[in-house]
Amino acid sequence: MNLRILSVNIGRPRIIGYIHGEPVRSGIAKAAVSGDSVFVGEINIHGDAQADLSVHGGPDKAVYAYPADHWRWWESEHSLACAANTFGENLTLEGADETQVSIGDRFRWGACILEVSQPRGPCYKLALHTQRADTPTLMALSGRCGWYLRVIAEGDAPTAHGTIERIHESGGPNVRDSFFAAYDPRMEKARKMEIARAPALAREWRGAVLKRLGISR
């Protein structure tokens, strides 16, 4: 599987809005990388950063990818105009969605190797970024969440008209099922436990799934 890169996006924390008069800082508002390549390090793409490291960033959330394959749904069903970085992603991709990508799958992007670590969980900053209060809820209900990747091997990666190539299929749970394991109380407990045991699943997401099962880490 080769996924086409439509855009590589980075951003530094800045004020993206206000809640109860208080400023909200976030790195969710990103811009396309201007050069032909970029260095992908252990915790982020060079030039990218997060404001609240207690819930964002780190090795398991080094790179966030979102499939442009969902744009038509967002636009036709919910009148949300979509473009690169609408969802705060680093990689705007085309060619697969959450049902076709699994936890533990590995992708080659230039000289670096990425591994799918967890789904993205929507938060209030997505609402501020899209200027739509319902965006996080729509993402949670639909499972159109995108996925995070950890960096297995650092290196330079192309930004213009590039691709990422899947070089390893893990056989683990797909991203969509992994998302609903933490969000959908109707999913069978046995399936949730199976997902929680996936070796490559990020520790934080495993904890969220176990919490749904009433199990403390």
Side-chain angles (χ1 to χ4, degrees), residues 7-10 27-28 30-31 45 48 63-68 71 83-93 120 129 146-147:
S7 183
V8 179
N9 315 297
I10 58 174
I28 194 172
K30 305 182 190 300
I45 297 173
D48 196 49
V63 177
Y64 173 45
Y66 195 85
W71 286 359
N85 186 50
T86 293
F87 302 95
E89 73 273 12
N90 299 113
L91 292 179
T92 309
L93 302 175
R120 182 259 187 88
H129 177 59
W147 52 88

Side-chain angles (χ1 to χ4, degrees), residues 147-200:
W147 52 88
Y148 280 106
L149 303 112
R150 59 174 65 92
V151 178
I152 301 301
E154 299 179 326
D156 291 317
T159 60
H161 308 295
T163 61
I164 65 172
E165 175 194 6
R166 184 160 63 187
I167 58 174
H168 171 69
E169 293 188 55
S170 68
N174 67 40
V175 173
R176 181 181 172 85
D177 285 353
S178 300
F179 181 83
F180 284 123
Y183 276 82
D184 189 351
R186 297 168 299 178
M187 180 180 282
E188 292 183 0
K189 290 184 177 181
R191 178 58 175 157
K192 289 184 179 182
M193 183 58 72
E194 180 184 1
I195 290 168
R197 289 171 175 163

Side-chain angles (χ1 to χ4, degrees), residues 73-204:
W73 181 83
W74 284 104
E75 292 174 344
S76 64
E77 297 294 326
H78 300 288
S79 301
L80 178 64
C82 294
N85 186 50
T86 293
F87 302 95
E89 73 273 12
N90 299 113
L91 292 179
T92 309
L93 302 175
E94 184 177 60
D97 64 21
E98 293 83 359
T99 66
Q100 299 161 291
V101 175
S102 298
I103 303 300
D105 282 1
R106 291 191 177 189
F107 290 85
R108 186 187 308 278
W109 179 25
C112 70
I113 304 295
L114 307 175
E115 183 179 77
V116 180
S117 55
Q118 67 166 76
R120 182 259 187 88
C123 71
Y124 72 97
K125 292 182 179 180
L126 179 61
L128 289 174
H129 177 59
T130 58
Q131 299 182 0
R132 286 273 298 265
D134 60 347
T135 306
T137 299
L138 292 171
M139 181 178 283
L141 292 173
S142 69
R144 290 172 168 86
C145 57
W147 52 88
Y148 280 106
L149 303 112
R150 59 174 65 92
V151 178
I152 301 301
E154 299 179 326
D156 291 317
T159 60
H161 308 295
T163 61
I164 65 172
E165 175 194 6
R166 184 160 63 187
I167 58 174
H168 171 69
E169 293 188 55
S170 68
N174 67 40
V175 173
R176 181 181 172 85
D177 285 353
S178 300
F179 181 83
F180 284 123
Y183 276 82
D184 189 351
R186 297 168 299 178
M187 180 180 282
E188 292 183 0
K189 290 184 177 181
R191 178 58 175 157
K192 289 184 179 182
M193 183 58 72
E194 180 184 1
I195 290 168
R197 289 171 175 163
L201 187 65
R203 183 177 182 274
E204 178 182 326

